[in-house]
Amino acid sequence: MCGIVGYIGDKNATPILIEGLRRLEYRGYDSAGVAVYNSGEVQVEKYKGRLSILEDKLKEKPILGSLGIGHTRWATHGEPSDVNSHPQTSMGGDVAIVHNGIIENFMHLKEWLSEKGYVFKSDTDTEVVAHLVDYFYHGDLVQAVIECVKKLEGSFALGVVSCTEPDKLVAIRKDSPLIVGIGKGENFIASDIPAILNHTKQIYLLNDMEIAVLSKEGVSIVDQAGKPVQKEIFEVTWDVAAAEKGGYPHFMLKEMFEQPTSLRQTLKSRLMSESDDIVLDQIRISREDLEKVDKINIVACGTAFHAGVVGKYLIEKLARIPVEAEIASEFRYRDPILSQNSLVIVISQSGETADTLAAMREAKRKGARIIAITNVVGSTVSREADDLLYTWAGPEIAVASTKAYTTQLIAMSLIALKLARIKGSIDGELYGQMKEAIYRLPEQVQQILEESEGIKELAEKHKDAGNVFFIGRSLDYAVAMEGSLKLKEISYVHSEAYAAGELKHGTIALIEDGTLVFALATQDRLFDKSVSNMKEVKARGAYVIALAKEGNREVEKTADRVIYIPDTLDLLTPVLTVVPLQLFAYYMAVARGCDVDKPRNLAKSVTVE
């Protein structure tokens, strides 16, 4: 969640740190700070609130120095305040620390350090780390960090500097993302690539418990025993322009309008018209492998989980294999029944989602085979999975996921088709129809985006809605969950998604005059039942916005307004149906004056429990 940036070189560190933190604002934060070595001491400036507050203070009181670390904090231990902001320092101020993650045993360590005379100023778990490094420091900062992390339980990405070794920046990670940027006469650390992309495209991807030691001359990486680790340089293939707004008022709007391109990238070289086969990169499952699989678990969080629910429908329908879609935080703690005959598909945009990572590792421990679907090349999920499919959505900056979700849906469609083809559970006619329909999806999404003004008008009309309900059946219900999530997370309007067949089992009691209801009715075989559900809520005073396929004018007799999506196969409607719901959520948030790209209390990549 938090953002980390570090620099060592010949340039003034402060503007580089601020620039990097600016590019990490999308991760979510409530305070910001920097620590820079200057004239024999580590000077710290940190403030509650937006990064602009820190910038203004640094203009009044500049810090000059060529070694520094910066941080944007999202509060876990201790309320947002200047004191609880990072960097945190040792008691004498010699050591400064930035930290992403949670130290689970910090209370025990705090008591232990207090007994040894250490005095704490903040309520954070991070201050414990600063004091521990100081406690173990005997002239070697790297060794002090090694001894410190032996005591830590939980997750962490750390950047450490000390005024006693001003030629060194030390970094280490465990279950929280951290990369090393390699420059010429300068080197960097960061939580994510955009923070340093203006300076270098060459990076090291740190594995858990690898320690990076940066100087301006170079980077060395060692393990916990201090032994050198050989790493390959990863070359970033996209540039900083891909992570800029490009003239759009918000990243979210830009990323929604990038969806046709992102979908084409996901399909590129995988579903080829000249070939009858589907090529899925690093997923290599034979018919013999598949015959051993007795069940598939799809595990993810938030939006990715909703993509997994769609995946469940697709795989069960096409490949005829039992599938459970599960929330990662529940899956990991319920002692799931898994074996060598289990196949687990994990979905994570960032590839660093804490609960998804933990669930994946639990599944691997129990012998399951792991397929990962992720957007970030070199992420932890991608490195630890047995099989891998990148979505190639491009960098997604807005906290509310849009293009990552639709590319995950395409990925699930391709996997379902591939498994069905391997197993022989799909006939040639349906297979050909699916392929042809998938090819048309990017163009059809573009068609919906070009008609966004009507959705904007609807959102502005209903901007004061107090409660919104999304109802649907089968795949429409799966998409309803995502539509509801989008609305609540960026517009702060209470919304819920329900399986339409459950209305009479309690939900309909919440419908009253003027209640806004989105009724998804894109499944041909369930259309009549969906219309009946619309009539039920209309009879209780609801205002119904229906989503239906083009040409299905019958729905206009019941709904107050209808949003049409281009005609496609029922199994592929989620890719299209979700786009108007994304747009509605966006325009509703704008109309209500919300901070669309950085919604309150949320972060882009959830790297702590």
Side-chain angles (χ1 to χ4, degrees):
M1 289 183 180
C2 311
I4 288 175
V5 182
Y7 174 81
I8 186 167
D10 288 323
K11 298 174 185 172
N12 185 12
T14 302
I16 294 172
L17 299 176
I18 294 297
E19 175 199 4
L21 294 178
R22 177 71 66 195
R23 297 188 184 281
L24 294 177
E25 281 191 295
Y26 69 90
R27 297 174 71 87
Y29 69 103
D30 51 48
S31 55
V34 296
V36 177
Y37 174 79
N38 179 30
S39 303
E41 63 176 345
V42 176
Q43 293 183 281
V44 177
E45 291 290 329
K46 53 181 185 173
Y47 301 95
K48 172 186 172 182
R50 288 298 181 192
L51 183 61
S52 57
I53 297 173
L54 175 65
E55 286 185 275
D56 291 341
K57 296 291 185 181
L58 288 170
K59 288 175 184 176
E60 298 172 9
K61 188 180 176 183
I63 308 177
L64 300 177
S66 56
L67 165 67
I69 48 179
H71 192 269
T72 49
R73 176 181 187 250
W74 192 85
T76 54
H77 294 73
E79 66 181 8
S81 68
D82 292 353
V83 172
N84 288 334
S85 303
H86 293 199
Q88 291 290 320
T89 60
S90 59
M91 203 160 66
D94 294 343
V95 175
I97 301 274
V98 288
H99 166 224
N100 182 12
I102 290 178
I103 307 303
E104 295 173 355
N105 62 333
F106 90 101
M107 283 302 298
H108 168 74
L109 293 172
K110 188 172 183 177
E111 291 171 4
W112 182 73
L113 287 163
S114 295
E115 290 172 0
K116 296 185 178 299
Y118 283 87
V119 177
F120 289 79
K121 298 177 182 178
S122 77
D123 300 315
T124 68
D125 53 343
T126 303
E127 191 178 2
V128 164
V129 184
H131 292 331
L132 271 177
V133 172
D134 179 77
Y135 176 80
F136 286 115
Y137 186 77
H138 302 292
D140 186 336
L141 184 59
V142 175
Q143 190 59 40
V145 171
I146 289 173
E147 294 301 320
C148 167
V149 297
K150 288 178 182 178
K151 294 279 190 182
L152 304 182
E153 296 174 10
S155 62
F156 50 82
L158 300 172
V160 187
V161 296
S162 172
C163 65
T164 58
E165 297 186 45
D167 59 346
K168 194 173 294 178
L169 168 57
V170 180
I172 184 172
R173 62 154 285 178
K174 177 180 176 288
D175 298 334
S176 288
L178 196 66
I179 61 169
V180 176
I182 307 159
K184 295 181 179 179
E186 58 185 4
N187 293 291
F188 312 81
I189 62 169
S191 298
D192 204 354
I193 291 170
I196 58 175
L197 202 52
N198 257 350
H199 304 279
T200 182
K201 289 190 175 184
Q202 293 191 318
I203 65 174
Y204 286 134
L205 302 168
L206 293 181
N207 292 322
D208 279 355
M209 303 310 290
E210 289 181 342
I211 302 162
V213 186
L214 287 69
S215 66
K216 68 178 182 179
E217 289 83 15
V219 177
S220 61
I221 298 174
V222 298
D223 61 19
Q224 277 189 287
K227 295 179 180 179
V229 175
Q230 298 301 315
K231 302 286 287 185
E232 290 186 8
I233 293 175
F234 174 76
E235 188 82 26
V236 180
T237 56
W238 46 277
D239 59 26
V240 74
E244 298 288 357
K245 291 179 185 175
Y248 287 89
H250 298 98
F251 280 112
M252 185 178 175
L253 187 63
K254 171 179 178 278
E255 288 157 8
M256 284 190 290
F257 275 81
E258 286 174 343
Q259 286 179 113
T261 300
S262 297
L263 294 175
R264 292 187 185 98
Q265 285 296 113
T266 306
L267 292 172
K268 187 177 179 181
S269 76
R270 290 166 173 168
L271 194 65
M272 296 173 286
S273 56
E274 66 273 12
S275 170
D276 193 42
D277 198 14
I278 295 171
V279 180
L280 294 186
D281 305 350
Q282 299 173 52
I283 298 179
R284 300 177 181 89
I285 295 180
S286 66
R287 182 165 190 149
E288 183 181 12
D289 293 333
L290 203 55
E291 286 174 350
K292 296 176 184 177
V293 173
D294 50 22
K295 186 179 69 173
I296 296 174
N297 294 85
I298 303 178
V299 181
C301 300
T303 287
F305 166 70
H306 297 156
V309 176
V310 173
K312 167 186 165 65
Y313 282 98
L314 293 172
I315 294 173
E316 288 192 337
K317 177 68 175 177
L318 298 174
R320 309 307 295 163
I321 302 171
V323 181
E324 290 185 27
E326 302 190 63
I327 296 169
S329 57
E330 292 295 316
F331 178 83
R332 65 178 290 201
Y333 289 120
R334 70 167 177 80
D335 193 17
I337 300 171
L338 300 169
S339 70
Q340 292 181 340
N341 295 330
S342 301
L343 180 62
V344 175
I345 301 174
V346 299
I347 311 173
S348 169
Q349 189 282 138
S350 67
E352 303 291 350
T353 312
D355 284 315
T356 305
L357 269 171
M360 180 181 77
R361 288 165 177 167
E362 174 68 5
K364 288 195 76 170
R365 188 182 68 81
K366 293 190 172 189
R369 181 171 181 168
I370 309 295
I371 295 176
I373 299 174
T374 186
N375 187 38
V376 179
V377 176
S379 59
T380 304
V381 159
S382 72
R383 299 201 300 273
E384 295 188 11
D386 300 300
D387 300 276
L388 174 63
L389 186 66
Y390 285 120
T391 54
W392 301 123
E396 189 177 68
I397 305 301
V399 168
S401 181
T402 52
K403 64 178 181 176
Y405 173 75
T406 49
T407 55
Q408 287 165 358
L409 295 182
I410 289 286
M412 289 306 317
S413 301
L414 295 177
I415 288 173
L417 266 181
K418 181 71 171 181
L419 295 181
R421 191 71 161 168
I422 292 170
K423 194 178 177 188
S425 58
I426 187 171
D427 62 48
E429 183 180 359
L430 178 57
Y431 182 75
Q433 289 174 348
M434 287 287 291
K435 280 187 60 179
E436 185 179 342
I438 290 172
Y439 270 123
R440 292 200 303 269
L441 288 173
E443 181 182 336
Q444 291 175 320
V445 169
Q446 183 66 48
Q447 183 180 331
I448 296 170
L449 291 168
E450 288 172 357
E451 298 168 358
S452 63
E453 279 301 314
I455 299 169
K456 179 181 179 181
E457 180 185 311
L458 264 178
E460 290 173 345
K461 177 180 178 180
H462 295 282
K463 68 182 179 66
D464 296 321
N467 295 286
V468 182
F469 295 96
F470 294 75
I471 60 173
R473 291 172 177 267
S474 184
L475 285 166
D476 281 338
Y477 172 49
V479 179
M481 290 193 287
E482 176 61 12
S484 175
L485 176 62
K486 280 292 149 294
L487 186 63
K488 70 181 72 172
E489 68 183 339
I490 62 171
S491 72
Y492 318 141
V493 172
H494 172 257
S495 66
E496 298 294 340
Y498 292 100
E502 286 289 289
L503 280 172
K504 291 178 180 176
H505 297 275
T507 309
I508 204 164
L510 297 171
I511 304 299
E512 56 188 8
D513 281 345
T515 301
L516 180 58
V517 176
F518 278 87
L520 283 61
T522 71
Q523 304 297 291
D524 291 340
R525 65 189 177 89
L526 298 171
F527 178 77
D528 289 342
K529 292 185 182 296
S530 298
V531 171
S532 294
N533 296 135
M534 291 183 215
K535 290 178 178 178
E536 287 174 342
V537 295
K538 279 285 292 180
R540 274 81 178 172
Y543 184 96
V544 175
I545 299 174
L547 280 81
K549 291 179 183 175
E550 278 178 343
N552 198 342
R553 298 292 175 181
E554 190 68 23
V555 71
E556 294 177 7
K557 296 178 182 178
T558 304
D560 295 285
R561 289 286 296 269
V562 182
I563 299 172
Y564 288 105
I565 65 167
D567 191 19
T568 190
L569 298 177
D570 281 9
L571 290 174
L572 299 176
T573 56
V575 179
L576 303 179
T577 312
V578 76
V579 178
L581 302 183
Q582 293 172 344
L583 289 165
F584 184 87
Y586 170 78
Y587 287 122
M588 180 80 115
V590 171
R592 291 168 62 88
C594 301
D595 191 343
V596 175
D597 287 335
K598 298 186 284 292
R600 66 190 183 199
N601 304 329
L602 297 179
K604 180 64 178 172
S605 179
V606 182
T607 55
V608 297
E609 285 192 71

